[in-house]
Each structure stands twice: as C-alpha cells, then as structure tokens.
Amino acid sequence: MGVNTLRTWGTDGSTKPLLDSAAAHGIRVINGFWLQPGGGPGSGGCVNYVTDTTYKNTMLTEFAKWVDTYKSHPATLMWNVGNESVLGLQNCYSGTELEAQRNAYTSFVNDVAKKIHLIDPDHPVTSTDAWTGAWPYYKRNAPDLDLYSMNSYGDICNVQEDWEAGGYTKPYIITEGGPAGEWEVPDDANGVPDEPTDVQKADGYTQAWNCTTGHRGVALGATLFHYGVEHDFGGVWFNLVPDGLKRLSYYAVKRAYTGSTSGDNTPPVITNMAVSPAASAPAGGEFSVRADVRDPDGDPITYKIFLSGNYASGDKRLVEARWRSTGNGTFAVTAPEKLGVWKVYIQAEDGRGNAGIETTSVKVVAPPVSGTNVALNKPTTASSFQASYGDCPCEPAKATDGNPNTRWASDWSDPQWIRVDLGAPTAIRKLQLVWDPAYAKSYEVQVSDDASTWRTVHTTTTGNGDIDTIDVAATARHVRLHLTARGTGWGYSLHEFGVYS
C-alpha cells in the first residue's frame, strides 16, 4: 500500500516483535504511551493530575524504561505521549476543575517530554488529542513537545484552519484519520447514525490525505486508521480489509500513499441500496433489499447478506441473514424476531480478494394481526410489578396500552402472572406477546369466565422471547399468562399483551 509508518497506543515489553517486523519491512513506528483517561472505548479510569503524584511518577518511570529500551531500535521514529486525554478529561471533571486538570495533564506531558529528551535526544516527542481545542493547553504548558498530533475523521479538513487561527508554530501529524465516524454523521430516518457508503468512505480517505498534504511544511503526514480485520459493526464502518477482503477504502489509501492503483483489480461498487419497508419490516417476515452493483473489472459477483443488532441489542457481530435472491440486484431477507432498528449489509465479492459492502438500517416491528385487540386499555392486573428500576414504574396496564415503548415488568422470581379483564365473554382467536429481553421460557395461556376457575388453552416450555403469536380458540372474559420459568436472571417483562377477536 506504500505505508511507511505505523502508530501504536502503548509501548511495553510486548512491543519488540512489532518493531522487529516493522524494521524488516522498512517501516517506522510512532511508539505510543497510554495515559488515563485516554479516548475511545476502553479508555480506563480517571486520574487527578493536580494531586496524584504517585500515578504521574509511576508513568514517568515506566515510560522512561521503554524509551531507554527501544531508543536505538531502527524502527523507532518518535514517541507519542497520551491519546485524546485533554478531550477525555471532560468525562471525569467539569467547570473550573476540568480546566485545572487539563492544565495539569499537559504540564505532565511536558515533564514526560523533557525526560524522554534526556534519555533519547535523537527522536522527537509528540502528544495526540482528538480536538484542536487541546492545542492551546499544549502551547501554554508543553513547550518541550517537538510537534503536535491530532486524531480527526470527518473534520480533518478544518485542522489547518484551526492551526492557522491559533497562531501555532510547531508542525503536526494526523495520528488517526479517515471517513466520517459514527459520532459525526446525521441520523437516518430510523434514528440511527447514517453510515457513509463505501464510495463515500473511500472519498473520505482521499479527502483526509489531500487536506493533510495540502498543509505543506506543517502537516508532516498521517497514519490513517486501519482498525484490523474484524468483520463486525465497527469493522465494516472503518476497516480497509474486513476478513482480509480489500475494499474501495483500501485502494484509496494505496493511491494516496503510492500515487497509483493502476493494474490493480478493484472491488465491486454498490450504489443506491434501499430497503422496503424500511420502517416497518415485520418480525420474522420478509423485507426487500435492492442495490445497483457493478464490478469495474467485469468479474462475476457473489453475494452475502448480513444483519447486525448493534442498535437493537448491543450485539456488534454480523450474522448472515436468511435470504434469497429475487433477481436484478434484489433480495428477500427474513427479518429478525427481535424488535428494534437493525443494520442490513450487502456484501458483494469478486473472487479476487475484494469486496464491496453497503449497509442501511431497517426497523423491525411486530407483525400485524388482523382483527381487534380486545385487550387494549382494558383493566390489567399482575402478581407484581417493578415500581422503580431503569425505565420503571412498569405497571401491568403498560402491557395493554398499545404503546410498544412501554412495558410491564415483574419481580425477579417465579412464578408470576398477568391478566386482563375483557369486560364480557369474548370470542378470542389469537394472542400476540411482545417480550422485552426479560422473557418467559415456560408459560401457560389461561382463560376464565369468573377470574376464579381457569382453563389452559396454550402451553410452552421453549419460549425464546421477542414475539410470540399464538392461535387460540376460546370464548372467555378473562385472559391470563401464568409464567413459570424465566428465560433470564431478571423478572418477566412484556411490552404488549395483545388479545385479538
């Protein structure tokens, strides 16, 4: 790809194999040192940089040890102290205390820089943040830094303007850059971040590189974000090679670093992806996905369709969907049973190690039930309910209010029950239960004419949560769910207890 530099977030005894391999490939390494609170996921706890001399002395000693160990390694290019901590301190402090901590942090970075220069006068020292608002603190408190560093994605082309407006005199490098991130894009019609297309992501890398190289003599280069080979929600958003498959972004970075991709076989290009119905795909039913797909090299294309429950359940994995091709770039995809907004992905592979991946969102809703919900807003009682936990109070009536965003929640014990009084004997032919993640593995559907003598019309011991649509043939005034075994360690929780005539 033409890459000549890597950047790391931490340096310790495990760093040597990376440095050895990098040197063997003619690559240099920006050796990072991690300081809390840092930035991004897993950034760690909070430190009081005004008073915690023990932490600062420990880090200073630790960093000095590894500078001395690797200062003569042929792969070492420079030292980078901290990652996004000036910004990250806002997660620990506020007001005047935040200001004091930011000044103390950048003063400590300067102490580290001075110490590194004493041990290794031959390699420069920098410090990374994700916000050009950190630079005034460095300018004021860290004169011993040789250059600044910035993590910037969709906003990267404003870095030069901020540098010029701030009157800075030191150069900088971009230590992370690429397409707009999840935190920078507007929400789509389903209320989740609107992920850029493959084409937009590739253009994002090109734009990032052009804005970096355009600040001649000041911006000294960029280590563009690679992420890894993960093929999950974050991997598809940022990764150049998920599962080792090269994407348009891979070739955009190669073109940036080498000036050319001539002679390369490049990925399929996916445009105009759309889902129907995008806001009301029935749980367990089918929805339609279509896209225009072309391969610039004329290679035959094979397809995969994936789903991610990141926004519905927090599960960031990509799971291959049940799907079938209906021709001309259209696919019928089986929706998950769990309600919420899901991401659906088309992956088009060319058999040459390349892939185009496009994604959009689809909102999964309860499948419609014909007839009248005779339980709607009828008197509803239960064995227990949670008065104050999370989004509670979660009274029984919230299971029959017709609002899928409210719920009844029981105590965390077995057994429990919830029942609705239909007001008069009513012919019942179907129930629809919309479970929260706290579902019933075993339960009975019971009916009664007098709320005293009950007869069972449905039993299951294999409930899996999400939505249960149950056929019933009965006439009764009262309908009860007798819940005998929970599917989780929580209680029972129902968004909707629908009874249809």
Side-chain angles (χ1 to χ4, degrees):
M1 294 175 74
V3 173
N4 61 21
T5 307
L6 302 177
R7 176 256 177 137
T8 69
W9 290 275
T11 303
D12 57 22
S14 67
T15 303
K16 188 174 185 299
L18 171 67
L19 294 173
D20 290 346
S21 182
H25 288 86
I27 288 173
R28 300 293 179 265
V29 178
I30 300 170
N31 291 313
F33 290 120
W34 190 264
L35 287 169
Q36 293 181 356
S43 56
C46 297
V47 171
N48 189 317
Y49 284 95
V50 175
T51 63
D52 195 341
T53 54
T54 300
Y55 175 81
K56 291 189 285 187
N57 288 335
T58 299
M59 293 299 101
L60 196 59
T61 302
E62 178 77 3
F63 298 165
K65 171 185 174 181
W66 299 118
V67 170
D68 191 52
T69 301
Y70 299 124
K71 66 182 181 181
S72 300
H73 198 289
T76 294
L77 178 69
M78 70 177 76
W79 308 100
N80 189 6
V81 183
N83 180 72
E84 302 186 3
S85 291
V86 179
L87 180 65
L89 281 163
Q90 71 183 0
N91 299 321
C92 304
Y93 303 100
S94 61
T96 56
E97 182 62 24
L98 175 59
E99 281 299 293
Q101 293 294 332
R102 284 173 166 167
N103 283 313
Y105 168 82
T106 47
S107 296
F108 175 62
V109 168
N110 195 64
D111 293 341
V112 177
K114 284 196 288 190
K115 182 79 168 181
I116 291 174
H117 283 137
L118 285 174
I119 301 168
D120 177 16
D122 298 324
H123 295 103
V125 182
T126 188
S127 183
T128 285
D129 221 274
W131 171 54
T132 54
W135 283 356
Y137 297 93
Y138 287 121
K139 183 179 181 181
R140 179 166 59 247
N141 302 314
D144 286 82
L145 290 177
D146 299 293
L147 70 162
Y148 302 144
S149 297
M150 183 58 51
N151 294 343
S152 188
Y153 291 78
D155 197 45
I156 196 168
C157 290
N158 292 321
V159 173
Q160 176 176 350
E161 179 183 338
D162 292 348
W163 187 90
E164 292 169 346
Y168 302 104
T169 58
K170 293 184 179 182
Y172 64 85
I173 53 174
I174 300 297
T175 39
E176 291 176 27
E182 192 178 3
W183 60 94
E184 295 177 302
V185 298
D187 286 347
D188 66 10
N190 285 324
V192 300
D194 192 5
E195 186 166 344
T197 66
D198 254 16
V199 172
Q200 290 169 333
K201 289 173 185 175
D203 289 345
Y205 279 104
T206 300
Q207 184 180 34
W209 184 244
N210 288 343
C211 287
T212 302
T213 57
H215 200 179
R216 296 181 62 83
V218 178
L220 304 183
T223 48
L224 298 178
F225 201 54
H226 179 278
Y227 193 79
V229 295
E230 291 86 346
H231 186 264
D232 58 9
F233 174 85
V236 169
W237 195 302
F238 287 112
N239 202 353
L240 306 181
V241 284
D243 272 357
L245 295 165
K246 298 173 183 176
R247 302 171 70 183
L248 291 175
S249 294
Y250 171 94
Y251 292 98
V253 174
K254 181 179 180 181
R255 188 165 55 251
Y257 285 162
T258 67
S260 173
T261 53
S262 114
D264 285 335
N265 185 289
T266 55
V269 179
I270 307 174
T271 54
N272 301 319
M273 181 179 177
V275 170
S276 180
S280 57
E286 285 190 334
F287 62 92
S288 176
V289 179
R290 72 159 308 279
D292 297 324
V293 185
R294 64 177 181 86
D295 187 87
D297 308 289
D299 297 319
I301 297 172
T302 57
Y303 293 96
K304 293 176 181 173
I305 309 291
F306 296 96
L307 292 164
S308 166
N310 181 49
Y311 297 121
S313 65
D315 186 350
K316 294 181 179 295
R317 293 177 302 161
L318 263 61
V319 178
E320 188 153 12
R322 287 172 50 201
W323 62 278
R324 56 192 175 86
S325 174
T326 51
N328 298 320
T330 63
F331 308 90
V333 181
T334 300
E337 287 193 0
K338 182 170 183 58
L339 305 189
V341 178
W342 289 72
K343 294 292 289 295
V344 56
Y345 300 77
I346 296 177
Q347 182 165 304
E349 301 178 22
D350 66 357
R352 303 291 194 93
N354 301 307
I357 307 176
E358 206 58 65
T359 180
T360 190
S361 71
V362 59
K363 185 174 185 179
V364 176
V365 300
V369 178
S370 61
T372 301
N373 182 3
V374 292
L376 187 62
N377 296 320
K378 295 291 176 63
T380 306
T381 54
S383 51
S384 65
F385 75 90
Q386 290 182 21
S388 59
Y389 181 84
D391 59 343
C392 292
C394 299
E395 304 95 328
K398 289 183 176 176
T400 53
D401 63 359
N403 183 352
N405 297 314
T406 61
R407 66 190 180 102
W408 163 69
S410 78
D411 289 344
W412 295 17
S413 62
D414 295 318
Q416 300 287 333
W417 55 262
I418 182 171
R419 74 187 188 199
V420 58
D421 181 354
L422 304 180
T426 305
I428 303 163
R429 59 178 190 81
K430 202 174 287 284
L431 266 66
Q432 187 175 79
L433 310 178
V434 180
W435 295 100
D436 185 63
Y439 66 94
K441 183 170 65 176
S442 297
Y443 64 89
E444 298 174 333
V445 177
Q446 300 174 327
V447 297
S448 173
D449 299 318
D450 57 7
S452 176
T453 302
W454 297 90
R455 55 190 187 275
T456 298
V457 293
H458 175 79
T459 302
T460 185
T461 58
T462 58
N464 64 355
D466 302 327
I467 293 177
D468 292 340
T469 304
I470 303 161
D471 290 321
V472 174
T475 297
R477 173 174 172 171
H478 305 274
V479 183
R480 180 172 77 172
L481 299 180
H482 182 55
L483 309 164
T484 55
R486 290 167 289 152
T488 70
W490 304 314
Y492 298 95
S493 184
L494 265 179
H495 284 287
E496 284 298 301
F497 179 15
V499 180
Y500 291 84
S501 64

